[in-house]
Amino acid sequence: MLRERPAAAAARAAAATVSGLAVGISEVWRRYGPVTAVAGVSLDVAAGEFVSLLGPSGSGKTTLLMMLAGFEQPQSGRLTVGERDITRVAPNKRNVAMVFQRYALFPHMTVAENIAFPLRMRRIGRAEREARIRRALDMVKLEAQAGRKPAELSGGQQQRVALARAIVFEPPVILMDEPLGALDKKLRQHMQIELKQLQRRLGATVIYVTHDQEEALTMSDRVAVLNHGKLVQLGPPRALYDQPADAFVADFIGEMNLLPGTVRAMTGELCTLAVDGGTAVGMAASNSDGQLASGKPARVAVRPEHVELVAASGAAQDGLPGQLAEIVFNGATTAMLVELAGGTMLRADISTRSSLAGLHPGSPVVASWAAGAALVFPGAA
Amino acid sequence: MTDGATGARASGGEWLFHAICVLVLLFLMVPTLLIVPMSFSATAYLTFPPAGFSFEWYHTFLTDPEWIDATLFSLRVAALTTLASTVVGTMGALALVRGRLPGRQTIEALLLAPLIVPPIIVAIGVYLQFAPLGLTGTLPGFVLIHTALAVPYVVLVVSAALQRLPPSLEMAGLNLGGSRLACFRRITLPLIAPSILAGAVFAFLASFDETVVSFFISGVEHKTVTRKLFEDIEFNLSPVIAAASTVFVVSTILMMWLADASKKAATQ
Ligand SMILES: Nc1ncnc2c1ncn2[C@@H]1O[C@H](COP(=O)(O)OP(=O)(O)OP(=O)(O)O)[C@@H](O)[C@H]1O
Ligand SMILES: [Mg+2]
């Protein structure tokens, strides 16, 4: 049984790749009175893919997941799993597993009974059932705890039981709503890795809800960023980080300096702006078509690691003059917080090894960056 | 020892509070406790303090056909009432807590009405309804009205349990492929069973102890033990009343303790 496992997993993964599309969400809307929880979201998830739904509180992540699980109904739009339209299918007929935030383990059943539940509901025979439970327990490393009740397990172990219960019936897709939200930071990071490894090994398709952007970036093949019910950007983590579609994504993913200003000149894609204390440059964001005319309000977005600092020499220097306000040691990098002439704060992350000797809070500095490292988004804050 | 320590720290206000609590408890319990020595009296009528000692009145209670009939009838009514009100009350609680009922608050208020309306009002109303239907003095009549009176207790206890149960458990059950019925049977029911049992005990006692309505609708043949107690107080006043009461008080305490223990086991 155990020796067969990698082969079986590989076969499943292959089958998944062949079948292609695992989950289809098209033009889905859900309103609650005046609140639009999900506004026309379309999203295709390939088999074997790990997709995160990322967004601030109230952006519609849970609502979208609940519609996939069948506990909420979309007012319009279509949901499919594989070739099957599940838009109006009852939750217990969907064959879509869900891992709840607080695990929702059945407190009166042992770990093994919890995992057996979906198999019993599918009337899977005893021998097969026991074999599958053993395999699932082995996969989440809980063989020794099979006879315990959920209350006798640690948070991380409960999380793993919930996972085993979800994978044991080999659903075509697993939905997770902030499954690690209840764990402390250290355990959460450990479980992120474990969960990711398990997902790869099974070739499982996962739709994962989180409002923790770091978690989304480390675990996902692709991230769907939601804001006010709308899908604002969908792409691999690196693409979201390097080419955010708008100022919201730029600000939400990773650390970002967003300086408000006014467009001075456009030279091709190169945009020059008047900002607090001087002139800044950046590349026009890809979907800013025509909105960056001279005199229009705009924001320039630049990552702290792309900001260069030099001590002010008194002579004319290119860049934004300011005063070093604070130095925050973060391990490998050191964050330098600069107060620009008009009071705006700018963060520069400098490698701790090269950290500028002789600079201390109060030192006059000049901040600059390569035009290609910054993006300019139209509109005021 | 520890009591002394806390006592030493207790303020005068606390002492007064404890003293009042003890007095109130005594005030409530003494009348009931007085019954016990009176039931062992050797005299032919109720006296206090009791004179002599005998088990005679227990013997009478357990052998007199009238007392036996009334007790058995009360037990039968209470058993059927328990069954009916537990089923109805549990379903009602499910609908109120988990369902999306329109006018839920109105239904809740109506359900609890029997707890608020004075029993004598209920009794007169029920008598006027039952008499023309020939339901007075019959087993179905008693079970019907006692069920109506007992359902609120079950609804209250079971609703509280359902409200404590996270809905995500039932959602997880559905998500894992269980039908609504399977989820109820395997998840909800086992988890609220102790509260259902507690509700059943309350329902049983509500029926067995019920006096006012039973007084009105008892017949010559079918009377409850509460009605029989009333009649004997009026005409005989023999210590058998005290003996019967003692038996009932002791069994009531036992049942309450059972209900409490099962609820405690559930919350652990
Ligand atoms: N049953 C409901 N009734 C009314 N409004 C609702 C309901 N469910 C969700 N909403 C609203 O829909 C919006 C989206 O909610 P949702 O729970 O999907 O957000 P979320 O992204 O999961 O947030 P969080 O990160 O806080 O969990 C919110 O404004 C919320 O108030
Ligand atoms: Mg949520």
Side-chain angles (χ1 to χ4, degrees):
Chain A
M1 202 53 80
L2 290 179
R3 244 173 292 122
E4 271 170 33
R5 194 163 25 85
R12 221 177 359 251
T17 327
V18 170
S19 67
L21 185 70
V23 179
I25 301 170
S26 71
E27 272 302 304
V28 166
W29 286 83
R30 181 68 171 106
R31 296 185 192 82
Y32 295 103
V35 180
T36 303
V38 174
V41 170
S42 296
L43 168 64
D44 286 338
V45 179
E49 202 180 10
F50 193 117
V51 171
S52 288
L53 304 179
L54 175 67
S57 190
S59 56
K61 309 179 296 285
T62 298
T63 308
L64 195 54
L65 214 62
M66 286 295 165
M67 289 193 285
L68 282 169
F71 296 114
E72 286 289 349
Q73 286 289 312
Q75 276 135 348
S76 65
R78 219 169 86 95
L79 301 167
T80 52
V81 168
E83 298 291 293
R84 183 169 170 236
D85 187 327
I86 56 158
T87 318
R88 305 278 162 213
V89 175
N92 55 335
K93 300 269 162 59
R94 292 201 174 194
N95 206 30
V96 161
M98 172 126 181
V99 175
F100 290 81
Q101 179 163 17
R102 303 232 158 238
Y103 322 136
L105 299 177
F106 307 131
H108 56 302
M109 299 183 192
T110 63
V111 167
E113 284 164 354
N114 262 281
I115 300 174
F117 187 87
L119 303 177
R120 279 182 197 281
M121 293 300 115
R122 285 169 177 74
R123 308 198 188 291
I124 287 170
R126 189 194 167 97
E128 163 91 21
R129 200 167 66 216
E130 309 249 291
R132 284 221 217 169
I133 294 170
R134 224 175 313 121
R135 238 179 304 157
L137 281 170
D138 169 58
M139 229 163 308
V140 297
K141 302 186 210 92
L142 279 177
E143 297 97 324
Q145 284 79 16
R148 291 213 208 151
K149 294 274 177 71
E152 299 158 4
L153 300 175
S154 72
Q157 289 171 330
Q158 290 180 25
Q159 169 60 51
R160 292 212 284 264
V161 178
L163 214 56
R165 192 177 65 175
I167 60 175
V168 75
F169 64 100
E170 301 181 356
V173 56
I174 305 171
L175 311 174
M176 303 192 190
D177 192 355
E178 309 215 9
L180 308 179
L183 305 179
D184 63 57
K185 189 166 180 197
K186 188 116 193 190
L187 187 56
R188 190 159 69 229
Q189 286 172 340
H190 175 79
M191 285 301 296
Q192 283 173 2
I193 297 169
E194 214 168 281
L195 215 154
K196 184 68 195 169
Q197 284 175 341
L198 187 64
Q199 180 259 339
R200 275 220 199 86
R201 204 144 39 108
L202 291 171
T205 309
V206 171
I207 300 182
Y208 189 97
V209 163
T210 179
H211 62 238
D212 179 346
Q213 47 103 8
E214 246 178 78
E215 188 167 286
L217 294 184
T218 37
M219 297 179 77
S220 322
D221 297 317
R222 286 191 299 161
V223 179
V225 183
L226 294 172
N227 193 25
H228 298 304
K230 286 203 188 67
L231 178 60
V232 276
Q233 191 170 6
L234 171 67
R238 193 62 209 261
L240 261 63
Y241 192 81
D242 291 338
Q243 290 114 35
D246 63 12
F248 169 79
V249 179
D251 192 30
F252 195 68
I253 307 266
E255 285 295 332
M256 183 68 92
N257 293 297
L258 274 169
L259 303 179
T262 313
V263 179
R264 273 283 173 73
M266 284 290 294
T267 323
E269 293 300 293
L270 183 69
C271 183
T272 313
L273 301 95
V275 298
D276 200 6
T279 307
V281 287
M283 309 307 288
S286 54
N287 58 354
S288 60
D289 32 46
Q291 294 173 71
L292 288 173
S294 179
K296 290 275 176 84
R299 277 184 290 174
V300 58
V302 59
R303 300 256 176 229
E305 65 265 31
H306 290 140
V307 178
E308 282 157 34
L309 283 188
V310 289
S313 63
Q317 284 168 301
D318 268 353
L320 301 171
Q323 214 177 44
L324 195 53
E326 213 166 323
I327 300 178
V328 183
F329 172 63
N330 283 329
T333 63
T334 299
M336 314 285 247
L337 300 179
V338 178
E339 188 177 346
L340 298 180
T344 313
M345 297 302 290
L346 180 77
R347 173 171 164 177
D349 283 354
I350 311 284
S351 159
T352 298
R353 275 170 56 192
S354 77
S355 88
L356 308 167
L359 284 186
H360 48 83
S363 301
V365 290
V366 174
S368 63
W369 53 84
L375 280 172
V376 180
F377 298 105
Chain B
M1 291 307 246
T2 41
D3 272 2
T6 47
R9 260 184 276 122
S11 62
E14 258 178 88
W15 272 110
L16 191 68
F17 176 71
H18 287 301
I20 290 173
C21 284
V22 170
L23 282 176
V24 168
L25 277 177
L26 276 177
F27 177 76
L28 289 173
M29 283 170 59
V30 163
T32 310
L33 294 178
L34 285 183
I35 301 288
V36 180
M38 283 156 79
S39 68
F40 294 107
S41 171
T43 53
Y45 45 88
L46 276 176
T47 50
F48 194 83
F53 182 88
S54 83
F55 281 113
E56 185 189 342
W57 306 111
Y58 285 90
H59 184 255
T60 311
F61 172 64
L62 293 171
T63 50
D64 178 1
E66 270 200 43
W67 278 106
I68 291 173
D69 278 356
T71 306
L72 286 181
F73 184 69
S74 270
L75 283 174
R76 252 188 309 159
V77 170
L80 289 172
T81 298
T82 304
L83 199 71
S85 57
T86 305
V87 172
V88 172
T90 302
M91 296 202 307
L94 276 170
L96 285 172
V97 178
R98 288 287 191 263
R100 289 181 192 163
L101 282 179
R104 199 171 104 177
Q105 292 189 327
T106 316
I107 298 173
E108 238 164 10
L110 279 175
L111 252 173
L112 302 186
L115 296 183
I116 301 156
V117 177
I120 186 75
I121 308 275
V122 177
I124 293 168
V126 167
Y127 182 78
L128 292 177
Q129 284 284 311
F130 277 17
L133 295 171
L135 279 170
T136 51
T138 66
L139 185 66
F142 273 104
V143 173
L144 261 178
I145 183 57
H146 278 185
T147 299
L149 294 174
V151 157
Y153 295 103
V154 182
V155 171
L156 279 180
V157 178
V158 178
S159 291
L162 279 173
Q163 259 145 13
R164 279 195 307 268
L165 201 68
S168 64
L169 291 182
E170 289 152 68
M171 284 162 77
L174 281 174
N175 176 260
L176 294 169
S179 63
R180 282 194 179 277
L181 190 66
C183 290
F184 177 74
R185 230 169 45 83
R186 288 173 176 276
I187 301 164
T188 315
L189 191 60
L191 290 173
I192 61 170
S195 295
I196 295 180
L197 187 68
V201 170
F202 285 129
F204 183 91
L205 293 176
S207 167
F208 195 79
D209 281 354
E210 204 288 319
T211 316
V212 184
V213 176
S214 298
F215 188 83
F216 271 71
I217 67 168
S218 282
V220 185
E221 275 176 80
H222 288 318
K223 63 178 66 149
T224 62
V225 78
T226 45
R227 161 86 183 211
K228 171 76 179 142
L229 279 166
F230 252 130
E231 287 175 2
D232 270 46
I233 288 167
E234 226 169 4
F235 302 119
N236 300 340
L237 217 63
S238 87
V240 70
I241 301 167
S245 302
T246 305
V247 170
F248 298 150
V249 165
V250 170
S251 7
T252 303
I253 290 172
L254 276 176
M255 287 183 69
M256 294 298 282
W257 175 77
L258 211 116
D260 202 48
S262 86
K263 276 194 81 173
K264 272 215 189 87
T267 47
Q268 270 162 16

